[in-house]
């Protein structure tokens, strides 16, 4: 399946979260779907993630979170907004308590994928909500016009 051809996503862990299995598995799923993955690995700061996102011109940021570092995840969104970058969605996955979902979403996290989320759900969300997916109709309209 090459549903994501042309889409580029950062996959990373934030702060002291060193559990890499989920992020590595999702990276392989995304690559198999034709999505380009920039894998940053663990121990990333919000600043490092945002800098990499801007340097790599990514269409989405995916953060694997298994620690209580939710403020750092929200800080990624805040740093993007401070740089007036409002079109790169930030998604999370991992062992995030459902009680945290509404706070994360109200602070700008686009979607959360808990354990057990299907690869189809993850790939489908990225293909339909990545920055490139949201700008494709505009580009097509400009070409046609």
């Amino acid at each position: 399946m090459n549903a994501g051809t042309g889409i580029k996503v950062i996959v990373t862990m934030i702060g002291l979260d060193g559990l890499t299995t989920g992020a590595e598995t999702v990276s392989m799923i995304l690559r198999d779907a034709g999505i380009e993955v920039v894998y940053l690995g663990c121990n990333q700061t919000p600043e490092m993630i945002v800098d990499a996102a801007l340097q790599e011109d990514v269409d989405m940021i995916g953060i694997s979170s298994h620690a209580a570092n939710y403020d750092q995840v929200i800080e990624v969104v805040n740093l993007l907004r401070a740089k007036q970058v409002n079109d790169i969605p930030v998604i999370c996955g991992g062992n995030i308590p459902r009680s945290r979902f509404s706070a994360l979403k109200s602070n700008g996290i686009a979607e959360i994928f808990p354990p057990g989320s299907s690869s189809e759900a993850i790939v489908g969300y990225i293909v339909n909500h990545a920055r490139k997916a949201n700008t494709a109709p505009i580009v097509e309209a400009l070409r046609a016009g």
Side-chain angles (χ1 to χ4, degrees), residues 111-122:
E111 190 57 82
I112 301 165
F113 295 95
S117 297
S118 71
S119 20
E120 292 83 6
I122 297 167

Side-chain angles (χ1 to χ4, degrees), residues 26-109:
V26 169
S27 293
M28 288 187 290
I29 290 166
L30 299 181
R31 287 182 181 125
D32 288 347
I35 295 170
E36 182 178 350
V37 174
V38 177
Y39 181 75
L40 299 182
C42 56
N43 302 107
Q44 300 295 307
T45 66
E47 294 81 5
M48 292 163 71
I49 295 168
V50 169
D51 288 346
L54 298 176
Q55 289 172 7
E56 293 287 343
D57 193 29
V58 298
D59 300 300
M60 189 170 284
I61 298 171
I63 301 172
S64 174
S65 180
H66 292 82
N69 51 16
Y70 310 115
D71 290 340
Q72 289 182 311
V73 174
I74 293 167
E75 183 62 18
V76 171
V77 174
N78 292 338
L79 288 169
L80 288 169
R81 289 177 181 160
K83 294 179 181 284
Q84 299 180 345
V85 178
N86 299 308
D87 60 346
I88 300 177
V90 177
I91 61 174
C92 291
N95 196 16
I96 301 168
R98 290 203 182 270
S99 61
R100 296 284 188 161
F101 282 23
S102 63
L104 288 167
K105 286 189 172 188
S106 68
N107 280 287
I109 302 305

Side-chain angles (χ1 to χ4, degrees), residues 118-143:
S118 71
S119 20
E120 292 83 6
I122 297 167
V123 170
Y125 185 87
I126 291 171
V127 167
N128 290 311
H129 296 92
R131 179 174 62 166
K132 189 162 279 158
N134 291 327
T135 59
I138 297 167
V139 171
E140 291 304 316
L142 290 172
R143 287 182 183 157

